Amino acid sequence: MTAAIKCYHCQELIPPDLSLTAEVAGRTYGVCCLGCKAAAEMISDAGLADFYRFRTAAAPRPDETNDDIWSTYDRPEVADPLLGQEGASSVVNLLIEDTRCSACSWLIGERLRRLSGVARASMNPATGRAQIAFDRSQVGLATVLRSIASLGYRPHVLGATDTLAIATKERRRALKRLAVAGFGMMQVMMIATGLYVGARQGIDPIIREYLRIICLVMTAPVLVYSGRPFFEGALTSLRTHHLGMDVPVVIGLLLAFAASSWNTLTHQGEVYFDSVTMFIFLLLLGRYIEMGARHRAGSTSEALMRLVPATALRIRDQRRERVPVASLETGDLIIVPIGECFPADGRITDAATEADEALLTGESEAVAKPVGSTVVAGSMNVGAPVTIELSAVGQSTVLAGIVRLLERAQTERPRMARLADRAATWFVTRVLLGAMVVALIWLWIDPARAFEATLSVLVVTCPCALSLATPTAVTAATTALARQGLLVTRADALESLAGVTQVVFDKTGTLTLGKPQVTSIQAVSGSKESALDLAASLEQGSEHPLAHAFAGIRVTSRAEEVAVHPGEGVEGWIIGQRLRIGREAFVAAIAGPRPSTVGEASVYLGGPSGWVAAFQIGDALRPEAARTVRELQRLGLSAHIASGDQDAAVMSVAAKLGITDAHARLLPAQKLAFVQALAAQGQQVLAVGDGINDAPTLGAAAVSVALGSGSALAQASADIVALRGDLTTLPMAIEMARRTTRVVRQNLLWATIYNILALPIAALGLVPPWLAAVGMSLSSLLVVLNALRLTSLRPAGSRPAATGVACLA
Amino acid sequence: MTILFMLIPLGLVLVGFAIWAFFWAVGDGQFDDLESPGWSVVMDDRAPVDPTAQDLDPS
């Protein structure tokens, strides 16, 4: 087998010395691990090999471990609160991690439907949600979860009620409102055309009155049903004494509808039903698009919550029992084995351990946790099995706090939109006053034309184009970016991003992969290969993050009596030789002081017979980093590195990427000072990072991007989260932001010019209300269409997303 | 033009029907996922495999 061959299932590179194959649909393919082999053969055996033809992305790599973590889900006390009832079958909502394309959802659906007892399995690849209905007497929840896990995906049980259900309900309701408004608008427009033509060419008065009544009949349900959100919004804004956008909308709608109805029933004057329906439809359309973007943002915070395991081992009355995490209480004692996440915040009572808080802090090094120290929910126990006394559960944990923080950021409205809203409020009060003045003047000049002129002023100057200008452009851009895996969490981010002049990168995990790898070996005795072999066999049992550097290495020797010393290293016996790997002091305790020939390194290996080797453990560059930096420089931005890492590592990364300004050994406070110094020079700074030590930097920069693979805290303080952890989306986002700002400016300019021109003409009574309505609607439509250009066009230089067509070709 | 007295109400009935159909489709979840159903066309749709029948299959 050649060295550079990729695994048929997960598309990762197969280690050169490995020869594992899987038989799929009668052909033999190379795979990278036993998990992939099992998954590929299972898929093939089940007659689902089509998956490989239709997928647009690689399949996730399944875990090789055989630990059955799912069996607890068959216990009634665990399963019951998670399941809902639908007729005779039980329903569960799942969030399935790593579903990458439509073929994945097809595969999962097919696999589940073949289980006897599964009545329905529907899966949405866009959200990663699946809903499964099954007969509990035939198949258990554990079996369902296990079969998904066997395909290599990670299922998370969301429970019977799900925020998605709420979102779905909201979307469905909005869609219905939009449909009623749309159908109503089409009908009314069509009939109104007849009325307009009739007004010019002459029309039978009976037909005219008849058409008007039809318009009234069609408009009433649109106003009452589709217009309801505006009435509700106006009511709340009146109750809070704040003139929002909804107030003028409602006044305009009610006034136009009331006048039209009155004129229809009294057979006189003009009717404006067409403007009413069109107005409602256009506004609803804008809100519908905005809602879609909001829902997508909501799923990130849910992804954070699933860090917490579903069950825990509780000790009560000297007995151990597995219970659902939801039933834990403060003060409970629970046991957390190695490799499992802490389900709640608590204090360690019995033994020292280490916790990997990478998911919360981004720090790859495990934190030592002596007896009595506190651990937080969502971090992983990597040292030793411990008992903890719970101090906070459920919504009061640190993790839940972070999630709330993120949610708050997501509900914030863009500053640009708030400004436009304030401007609109200001404008609205002036318009209402102006309309009153116009009405009084006209009543004095010519009472017969007073109502029409006043209504024209109200309709023509309705600030909806002004109010729509920003939100539509921002939501259009946000949606387009979300499709590329960039989540804009703070609404102002796009505006700031457009004006960015400097980019400050963190190194570890941002420009590099953030996963430790052995970069150099200094062998004191024996060859480098044998040293690596010894080290890898010792580290096999260790969960320590640095040990992961040795994970991919094939070992020939076997370590016995391996003992993990948390925070220090690992000790074991290999071929009758006692060996220690770990920190300098730990190895020196049996090997004597470090000889001067052994250089400074990350990890040492040695035994009573002397020092064996020193390993430098480092971090590889992201493959797309160089291209991204080039792209950013092409956009006129200068790049900097601000890292906490050693000089040599930082300089070599900077040299490889062509970044001239690199700073090493910076403390978080110094990073912050660096960014602030740049800002003080009048530069707009974009900070890119992933860890907790980046959090202040991210907060201080004008706009910040956190990579999705990083810590939750960094993500919470970042304006934009790159969910795929792909740097190339960065230049794309900047281009998109610049285009968005351009579109917003065009929109605001257009809306302002339109209103300035239209207001005096309407006040002079030169604009009939129908023309005012057309003008207003056209100006809004123009603004919305201009904004929608952002979704349809792909910025130059970006790579097209994988599409179904591309996959089939 | 008296035909309008019949045609327009007829049109309204049709619109009512269209709205009813759309509401039904929304309620049925047809607009919840606009992507994967399109794929079901190109994916081979096999009848659910009967485990006993599979044993007789030589492949």
Side-chain angles (χ1 to χ4, degrees):
Chain A
M1 204 178 299
T2 53
I5 203 159
K6 281 180 178 172
C7 173
Y8 185 62
H9 183 70
C10 73
Q11 301 278 302
E12 278 177 40
L13 285 178
I14 299 177
D17 50 353
L18 186 78
S19 65
L20 253 182
T21 56
E23 208 158 289
V24 177
R27 293 190 59 188
T28 308
Y29 299 96
V31 289
C32 69
C33 61
L34 283 171
C36 285
K37 178 181 161 72
E41 287 181 343
M42 207 274 303
I43 290 167
S44 168
D45 289 347
L48 300 173
D50 278 351
F51 166 69
Y52 292 107
R53 284 207 289 141
F54 295 124
R55 65 176 176 182
T56 49
R61 186 176 171 155
D63 287 333
E64 278 181 69
T65 49
N66 292 321
D67 285 356
D68 192 22
I69 52 172
W70 309 113
S71 50
T72 43
Y73 284 100
D74 266 345
R75 296 159 59 106
E77 68 269 27
V78 177
D80 283 343
L82 299 173
L83 294 174
Q85 276 299 320
E86 195 183 271
S89 42
S90 308
V91 180
V92 69
N93 286 295
L94 302 177
L95 195 146
I96 302 179
E97 227 177 310
D98 295 329
T99 50
R100 294 171 193 179
C101 63
S102 295
C104 293
S105 73
W106 174 80
L107 178 65
I108 292 169
E110 283 298 303
R111 177 83 183 88
L112 289 175
R113 278 189 281 271
R114 279 157 203 237
L115 288 174
S116 58
V118 172
R120 183 168 54 80
S122 56
M123 159 104 210
N124 185 343
T127 54
R129 309 303 174 90
Q131 196 181 54
I132 294 140
F134 57 99
D135 182 358
R136 278 180 83 186
S137 58
Q138 289 188 51
V139 60
L141 179 56
T143 318
V144 171
L145 297 175
R146 211 176 286 132
S147 57
I148 297 173
S150 71
L151 294 170
Y153 303 94
R154 277 192 75 80
H156 296 272
V157 183
L158 293 174
T161 52
D162 174 13
T163 49
L164 182 72
I166 301 165
T168 307
K169 214 177 269 172
E170 193 186 342
R171 196 176 54 241
R172 285 181 179 182
R173 210 162 34 218
L175 208 55
K176 284 180 183 173
R177 291 218 161 96
L178 197 61
V180 168
F183 279 121
M185 181 188 73
M186 287 189 261
Q187 293 302 307
V188 174
M189 282 293 172
M190 197 170 69
I191 294 167
T193 314
L195 283 173
Y196 290 137
V197 174
R200 202 161 274 274
Q201 301 179 344
I203 187 170
D204 186 346
I206 297 172
I207 296 284
R208 196 178 76 122
E209 294 314 312
Y210 170 64
L211 291 184
R212 285 177 163 206
I213 290 170
I214 295 289
C215 281
L216 172 62
V217 168
M218 282 306 303
T219 309
V222 173
L223 186 76
V224 173
Y225 182 74
S226 300
R228 210 178 137 179
F230 305 111
F231 293 114
E232 284 169 353
L235 264 181
T236 9
S237 81
L238 282 183
R239 251 185 241 129
T240 51
H241 304 290
H242 164 81
L243 268 187
M245 239 304 276
D246 286 334
V247 177
V249 166
V250 164
I251 291 178
L253 286 177
L254 284 181
L255 214 60
F257 184 75
S260 307
S261 306
W262 177 252
N263 287 350
T264 302
L265 297 175
T266 56
H267 313 297
Q268 49 145 6
E270 289 286 336
V271 291
Y272 321 101
F273 293 119
D274 50 342
S275 348
V276 173
T277 48
M278 190 196 225
F279 199 6
I280 294 178
F281 178 75
L282 286 175
L283 288 173
L284 280 180
L285 191 68
R287 293 198 177 186
Y288 184 75
I289 297 170
E290 198 180 333
M291 188 186 66
R294 203 179 64 234
H295 285 167
R296 210 156 313 151
S299 51
T300 352
S301 44
E302 213 159 278
L304 272 177
M305 278 318 277
R306 73 194 165 179
L307 289 177
V308 176
T311 61
L313 208 54
R314 181 172 65 187
I315 309 179
R316 199 173 258 187
D317 311 324
Q318 311 288 317
R319 264 193 26 238
R320 292 173 174 205
E321 50 177 349
R322 216 163 241 285
V323 295
V325 164
S327 67
L328 290 176
E329 285 163 28
T330 311
D332 276 352
L333 284 176
I334 59 162
I335 295 177
V336 182
I338 300 182
E340 230 178 68
C341 284
F342 294 103
D345 295 356
R347 200 175 53 82
I348 298 174
T349 57
D350 59 347
T353 183
E354 281 178 68
D356 178 359
E357 298 181 339
L359 286 161
L360 295 160
T361 64
E363 205 63 53
S364 67
E365 201 133 335
V367 185
K369 296 283 180 185
V371 177
S373 59
T374 54
V375 289
V376 294
S379 60
M380 192 189 273
N381 184 16
V382 292
V386 288
T387 309
I388 64 169
E389 189 189 338
L390 300 186
S391 58
V393 293
Q395 282 305 306
S396 43
T397 59
V398 175
L399 182 66
I402 293 174
V403 171
R404 275 198 297 275
L405 203 69
L406 195 65
E407 277 167 357
R408 201 174 52 213
Q410 283 162 356
T411 50
E412 207 182 319
R413 271 176 60 71
R415 189 175 39 177
M416 282 193 290
R418 282 201 305 272
L419 264 177
D421 243 17
R422 249 206 312 276
T425 309
W426 178 87
F427 195 75
V428 162
T429 42
R430 300 304 182 280
V431 164
L432 292 178
L433 286 175
M436 255 152 72
V437 171
V438 169
L440 287 175
I441 293 174
W442 273 106
L443 276 175
W444 180 54
I445 303 172
D446 181 4
R449 292 176 64 190
F451 183 79
E452 199 178 291
T454 312
L455 196 64
S456 285
V457 168
L458 265 179
V459 171
V460 88
T461 55
C462 175
C464 59
L466 199 65
S467 276
L468 281 174
T470 314
T472 44
V474 170
T475 35
T478 314
T479 317
L481 287 177
R483 239 178 289 150
Q484 300 292 324
L486 277 173
L487 202 74
V488 180
T489 61
R490 194 138 31 224
D492 304 341
L494 279 177
E495 190 191 4
S496 326
L497 194 61
V500 156
T501 54
Q502 311 281 331
V503 190
V504 177
F505 286 102
D506 171 50
K507 186 185 72 72
T508 317
T510 307
L511 290 171
T512 63
L513 288 167
K515 276 184 219 149
Q517 274 162 334
V518 178
T519 51
S520 75
I521 306 165
Q522 191 198 354
V524 184
S525 62
S527 70
K528 286 182 178 181
E529 287 72 30
S530 70
L532 194 61
D533 188 55
L534 293 174
S537 9
L538 275 174
E539 293 279 27
Q540 263 186 335
S542 173
E543 281 286 339
H544 193 278
L546 279 185
H548 292 315
F550 297 95
I553 297 159
R554 257 166 82 87
V555 292
T556 50
S557 50
R558 250 184 72 81
E560 281 153 355
E561 291 177 51
V562 177
V564 179
H565 296 254
E568 298 192 83
V570 182
E571 184 181 332
W573 290 79
I574 299 175
I575 332 168
Q577 191 187 3
R578 185 176 169 214
L579 282 170
R580 274 184 171 191
I581 186 164
R583 295 208 173 146
E584 185 183 347
F586 179 65
V587 178
I590 61 166
R594 176 161 63 100
S596 55
T597 48
V598 180
E600 193 116 344
S602 332
V603 170
Y604 300 92
L605 177 70
S609 52
W611 292 70
V612 179
F615 300 94
Q616 203 67 256
I617 290 175
D619 200 1
L621 213 58
R622 275 181 195 270
E624 76 275 17
R627 191 152 63 96
T628 305
V629 171
R630 265 201 315 278
E631 282 273 313
L632 289 174
Q633 284 162 344
R634 189 178 60 77
L635 287 171
L637 279 69
S638 41
H640 310 265
I641 297 180
S643 172
D645 211 341
Q646 306 299 317
D647 288 298
V650 175
M651 291 312 155
S652 93
V653 166
K656 276 182 209 150
L657 295 177
I659 296 175
T660 43
D661 188 42
H663 302 265
R665 292 171 175 275
L666 293 185
L667 298 172
Q670 290 171 313
K671 285 189 190 179
L672 181 65
F674 177 67
V675 169
Q676 282 168 339
L678 278 178
Q681 292 164 25
Q683 306 281 8
Q684 279 263 60
V685 184
L686 162 68
V688 189
D690 80 324
I692 190 171
N693 49 359
D694 301 324
T697 325
L698 295 180
V703 56
S704 52
V705 175
L707 292 178
S709 41
S711 76
L713 199 63
Q715 290 189 19
S717 60
D719 303 320
I720 299 172
V721 180
L723 288 177
R724 290 190 202 146
D726 182 358
L727 281 179
T728 48
T729 48
L730 219 59
M732 194 195 69
I734 293 173
E735 274 182 275
M736 180 58 107
R738 289 182 181 174
R739 286 176 56 215
T740 309
T741 326
R742 251 193 328 266
V743 165
V744 167
R745 279 207 200 106
Q746 289 163 357
N747 279 355
L748 286 176
L749 188 71
W750 162 251
T752 315
I753 289 178
Y754 164 79
N755 276 332
I756 287 174
L757 286 181
L759 181 65
I761 303 176
L764 289 174
L766 297 175
V767 184
W770 65 267
L771 190 62
V774 170
M776 179 277 298
S777 303
L778 277 184
S779 91
S780 309
L781 198 65
L782 201 76
V783 161
V784 171
L785 289 181
N786 191 25
L788 287 181
R789 286 193 308 143
L790 290 171
T791 50
S792 57
L793 284 174
R794 214 167 278 288
S798 79
R799 115 202 108 125
T803 61
V805 180
C807 164
L808 287 169
Chain B
M1 277 309 198
T2 41
I3 189 72
L4 285 181
F5 290 106
M6 200 187 88
L7 283 183
I8 290 180
L10 210 64
L12 289 189
V13 170
L14 282 178
V15 168
F17 175 75
I19 290 179
W20 171 83
F22 188 81
F23 273 35
W24 171 82
V26 170
D28 199 42
Q30 298 194 16
F31 288 89
D32 292 349
D33 175 14
L34 297 174
E35 205 197 337
S36 43
W39 280 89
S40 62
V41 180
V42 289
M43 308 269 183
D44 285 344
D45 204 18
R46 294 196 182 97
V49 179
D50 184 355
T52 48
Q54 203 178 26
D55 292 340
L56 301 171
D57 194 337
S59 66

